[in-house]
Amino acid sequence: MPIKIKRGWELPDSAATSEDVFRSRRRLLKAAAAGPILLAAPGLLAGCDEAPSPSAQMAATGTSDAAGAADPSTSLYPVERNPRYVLDRDISPEDLATTYNNFYEFGSSKNIWKKAQDLPIRPWRVAITGMVETPMELDIDDLLGKMPLEERLYRHRCVEAWSMAVPWSGFPLKALVDLARPLGSAKYLKMVTFQNPEVAGGQKASWYPWPYVEGLTMAEATNELAFIATGLYGKPVPKQNGAPLRLAVPWKYGFKSVKSIVTFEFTDQRPRTFWEEIQASEYGFWANVNPNVPHPRWSQATERVLGQDQRLETQLYNGYGEFVAGLYAGLEGEKLFM
Ligand code: MTE
């Protein structure tokens, strides 16, 4: 039986919530009152809420817990920027990058940042399991103490055809792989998000295959670009952006960059990922950004940059071909770019 699932971020870009609409719901409501056509645009009203007030904005980008507890990693940031990774565009405004999010655990709209504050991020245990010499479990602050922290400016291209450019802080995923000491037989790294429907109401929606799972090949996971982000804009990464640690793989569509990770599992089986499980005809394992391969329901040729009116042309591998194109040599038979 076909199940109709409402997924805001799968809308054609023309129908998806633009951040200026998102930031001005009053204007939108007035416009909607003027005619029923706007109201009918799917995801538009469902995904919108009030534009954040200045005090709300502080909560969106601040460093204290919903319960008021300070994040113990605050003093680690800012960290030194690695000059190797440069942008071809301005850094996106912090207030947009931290209030226009995809985090289905907290709902399918872009405006989940307030709800995400309910996520407890201390204590936070990270399990390293599967095909490794010695499985281990670490406390996030112990892990942070072991990792070489740096800042990187990365582009981020969502499959919905919006994009941003942000300063992530964190460490190369390869440093975690080295710590884990995987067996030679491990072929993939599977990463899993927390599961806690009590605080993440979206996880009560039983038609989604929770928890959120993503995966990379070992070659992808050890590529220099693969990054675990623990900070953003020189502060600990906000909850809505995937605290206390999330993946950033800028050559792939944003859905690969799994948030709030609790498990890193090394395996010889290709993980079946969250969106692949939901709709394999539209979302595959590789998900490399490619302007020449449209999503089955919309074009990927251009992107709307958060905070800008103009659309930019999308680049193959999101412009990171010099780092990653070699990973895909010989894989031409694969469904590479979805
Ligand atoms: N990770 C989890 N656990 N849950 C999600 O819903 N959304 C993905 C990705 N990681 C998602 C996730 C998608 S579709 C995108 S575009 C990015 O997170 C958005 O990251 P941002 O909110 O920091 O911009």
Side-chain angles (χ1 to χ4, degrees), residues 73-82 144 147-152 167-171 227 230-236:
S73 70
T74 305
S75 60
L76 297 177
Y77 307 99
V79 289
E80 202 171 322
R81 182 172 297 171
N82 185 334
L144 286 172
M147 293 291 117
L149 297 182
E150 62 181 54
E151 184 179 74
R152 294 186 181 188
W168 296 116
S169 308
F171 54 86
F227 197 63
T230 58
L232 186 61
Y233 295 95
K235 291 172 270 193

Side-chain angles (χ1 to χ4, degrees), residues 9 100-105 156 158 162 164 168 193 212 240-241 246 254-255 257-259:
W9 65 276
Y100 186 83
N101 301 101
N102 278 328
F103 204 166
Y104 274 65
E105 283 81 347
H156 172 101
C158 179
W162 58 266
M164 61 181 184
W168 296 116
T193 296
Y212 199 102
Q240 61 273 27
N241 294 94
R246 58 88 59 83
F255 66 87
S257 288
V258 48
K259 295 178 170 182

Side-chain angles (χ1 to χ4, degrees), residues 1-248:
M1 188 181 78
I3 303 169
K4 190 156 173 30
I5 303 176
K6 190 160 167 285
R7 293 183 296 258
W9 65 276
E10 294 184 307
L11 297 170
D13 194 56
S14 57
T17 317
S18 80
E19 85 277 4
D20 32 314
V21 170
F22 163 84
R23 283 160 65 77
S24 178
R25 188 184 187 204
R26 280 202 193 93
R27 185 158 49 84
L28 176 68
L29 287 173
K30 266 192 208 156
I37 292 167
L38 262 179
L39 276 173
L44 206 57
L45 288 178
C48 297
D49 206 337
E50 294 288 337
S53 66
S55 60
Q57 197 55 48
M58 252 164 65
T61 59
T63 53
S64 68
D65 203 86
D71 183 327
S73 70
T74 305
S75 60
L76 297 177
Y77 307 99
V79 289
E80 202 171 322
R81 182 172 297 171
N82 185 334
R84 183 166 161 78
Y85 308 103
V86 289
L87 295 176
D88 60 349
R89 59 197 70 176
D90 291 342
I91 293 177
S92 303
E94 180 178 355
D95 67 332
L96 287 181
T98 57
T99 57
Y100 186 83
N101 301 101
N102 278 328
F103 204 166
Y104 274 65
E105 283 81 347
F106 295 97
S108 58
S109 88
K110 294 285 180 287
N111 188 19
I112 52 71
W113 70 264
K114 264 189 221 165
K115 287 187 192 151
Q117 304 315 308
D118 290 341
L119 179 67
I121 54 166
R122 293 295 187 286
W124 190 275
R125 305 288 290 171
V126 178
I128 299 181
T129 65
M131 303 174 84
V132 289
E133 280 180 25
T134 316
M136 57 180 113
E137 214 183 279
L138 293 110
D139 182 75
I140 180 64
D141 296 301
D142 292 340
L143 179 65
L144 286 172
K146 290 181 199 298
M147 293 291 117
L149 297 182
E150 62 181 54
E151 184 179 74
R152 294 186 181 188
L153 302 180
Y154 272 179
R155 294 184 291 274
H156 172 101
R157 169 61 157 82
C158 179
V159 75
E160 293 169 326
W162 58 266
S163 68
M164 61 181 184
V166 296
W168 296 116
S169 308
F171 54 86
L173 180 54
K174 182 170 186 311
L176 185 138
V177 173
D178 290 345
L179 176 78
R181 288 187 292 158
L183 304 180
S185 45
K187 294 195 173 83
Y188 300 94
L189 175 56
K190 173 178 168 183
M191 286 153 279
V192 186
T193 296
F194 73 88
Q195 169 93 331
N196 185 351
E198 290 312 308
V199 295
Q203 290 186 326
K204 290 186 178 146
S206 57
W207 53 88
Y208 288 113
W210 307 113
Y212 199 102
V213 167
E214 260 306 338
L216 298 172
T217 64
M218 289 303 295
E220 290 175 328
T222 52
N223 180 274
E224 67 166 270
L225 278 189
F227 197 63
I228 293 294
T230 58
L232 186 61
Y233 295 95
K235 291 172 270 193
V237 65
K239 295 180 180 187
Q240 61 273 27
N241 294 94
L245 75 171
R246 58 88 59 83
L247 184 66

